[in-house]
Amino acid sequence: MFQRSEENLSMLFDFYEMTMANGYFVHGLDDVVGYFDVFYRKNPDNAGFSIFCGLESIIDYLKNLHFDADDIAFLRQKGIFSKDFLHYLETFRFTGDVWAVPDGSVVFPGEPLITVRAPIIEASLIETMLLLIVNHQSLIATKAGRIVRAAQGRPVMEFGSRRAHGADAANLGAQAAYIAGCLGTADTLADERFGVPALGTMAHSWVQLFPSEYEAFKTYAETYPNNATLLVDTYDTLTSGVPNAIRVFDEVLTPLGQHGGIRLDSGDIAYLSKKARIMLDESGHADATITASNSLDEYRIRDILEQGAKIDNFGVGENLITSKSSPVFGGVYKLVGVERNGEFKPRIKISENVEKITTPGFKTFYRFYDNETHKALADLITMHDEVIDESKPYEIFHPTYTWKRTRLEHYTVRPMRVKVFEGGTCIYTLPDLKERRAYCSQETESLWDEYKRFDNPHEYKVDLSLAVWNMKHDLLAQTEQQIRP
């Protein structure tokens, strides 16, 4: 596979992260170890769950984290950073520990998707990039997963490169969409770099260039007889496009034992596909496929299929690659603990908005599965070293309703995170792209359909262990006492 050169993105941070880092260094706090959680508060599109993506990019970023001479010269000219601190940056590398959920994981609001344990300066300087990566790639994976489910087993191709918010958004978005279930992408660079299959048919300009629509179709089919999908809506879909496609299938493809297809890119897709299907079948081309594109998303795909549309494949562009209907994932990076001289102390952020109160402490989370159905039952956020004994019933409670408890029996429990970095060294073997795609499919399949509804999905339970619950409320009480006049 194509080997891309590593890009140094160490300077991509919010400026206050560097001013804080300098302050930590000047005041002798650089030996403090910070614990930070990455989590999000709400699923895009009011969905029942999200799909995590971006771990590969995080690994590449942390491996390559450093400041070169030009970076340090730029910071020096600002005139606000200490000389010793700038000297410290000359040999700067990431030396911390990272735990994360694998790419393709089904995740829910409030869960610690990533925990970073690192010297406070290192942990502070990586905040922006970690959030940038997770927020973008998880957003696109989540949207792609919804669109794939709407297609009900029909292949979905990601066609959004030209509408993406820049080259990186196109390439990494194509990879995230593939992990979430898309068949491939129109973006050739994503194929070269990551191995996401590049797919495509033709543009209207191809049809317009030739003296007639028939000649355009015939030339294309002769050039690509193994993959002749003809764009039939340049002039008139039913009067001209489909009849000319049928003529070319008869003259060029059938003698070669090949089957073609058509693509609809405008008009009433449901109506046109039904009419086109009849025309193709009656002419002896029942094997010809119909691909639909043009401003599709999960809702429009669902609607046209409910109307009986005869579509075999979907090409989805701007609404996927930008997650147009819900373009913000909303992941955050919050301090949950500090360690100094071997002593750990949890930290909490409080707010008048209850949903913004953080859950402190060094944590992880587990997923419970029913042993009979193998479906996910609930997730449990625990202290990092808590152990769950599967041989015993486990009682969980919803953190909003402490009186409402659920007793789980005959279950299997799975830790959701893996250790990715230890002492600055990556110890995680990243699965290949197809393995991550298969894992994502398994994760989605493990959910009951009620959680996968597009409208008013059932709320999945994400609970706190009693130890985490008590720690959070003890810390809230302590904080309240400290701030009272």
Side-chain angles (χ1 to χ4, degrees), residues 123-135:
S124 297
L125 288 177
I126 66 176
E127 174 181 358
T128 296
M129 270 301 297
L130 261 60
L131 290 179
L132 184 159
I133 291 168
V134 170
N135 282 333

Side-chain angles (χ1 to χ4, degrees), residues 208-246:
Q208 293 172 285
L209 182 68
F210 289 82
S212 70
E213 186 177 54
Y214 164 73
E215 290 175 84
F217 288 174
K218 184 173 184 291
T219 303
Y220 194 87
E222 290 172 340
T223 307
Y224 304 106
N226 296 328
N227 186 29
T229 299
L230 308 177
L231 185 58
V232 296
D233 71 330
T234 304
Y235 303 117
D236 186 279
T237 300
L238 299 180
T239 302
S240 172
V242 177
N244 277 324
I246 291 171

Side-chain angles (χ1 to χ4, degrees), residues 126-194:
I126 66 176
E127 174 181 358
T128 296
M129 270 301 297
L130 261 60
L131 290 179
L132 184 159
I133 291 168
V134 170
N135 282 333
H136 172 248
Q137 295 185 42
S138 299
L139 178 72
I140 304 307
T142 301
K143 188 65 170 181
R146 289 169 61 83
I147 292 170
V148 167
R149 296 200 307 280
Q152 300 177 25
R154 299 166 180 83
V156 174
M157 296 165 280
E158 184 278 305
F159 278 1
S161 309
R162 63 191 61 191
R163 302 290 172 81
H165 297 152
D168 283 343
N171 297 326
L172 295 170
Q175 184 185 46
Y178 182 74
I179 289 172
C182 285
L183 178 68
T185 178
D187 179 3
T188 310
L189 185 56
D191 192 347
E192 183 184 44
R193 286 189 174 182
F194 307 122

Side-chain angles (χ1 to χ4, degrees), residues 35-39 110-116 131 332-336 359-363 417:
Y35 290 70
F36 287 81
D37 282 349
V38 173
F39 62 95
E111 296 180 329
L113 308 180
I114 301 173
T115 294
V116 174
L131 290 179
V332 295
Y333 185 83
K334 297 298 181 183
L335 181 71
V336 294
T359 299
F362 184 22
K363 305 176 299 296
R417 307 198 309 181

Side-chain angles (χ1 to χ4, degrees), residues 20 25 41 83 86 117 119 144 148 155 186 194 211-212 223 227 260 267 316 338 374-375 386 389 403 436:
M20 289 193 302
F25 186 90
R41 297 189 177 102
K83 180 180 178 180
L86 294 174
R117 176 191 179 276
V148 167
F194 307 122
S212 70
T223 307
N227 186 29
V316 185
V338 295
H374 306 294
K375 296 292 187 181
E386 278 191 67
D389 186 350
W403 51 267
R436 283 178 275 166

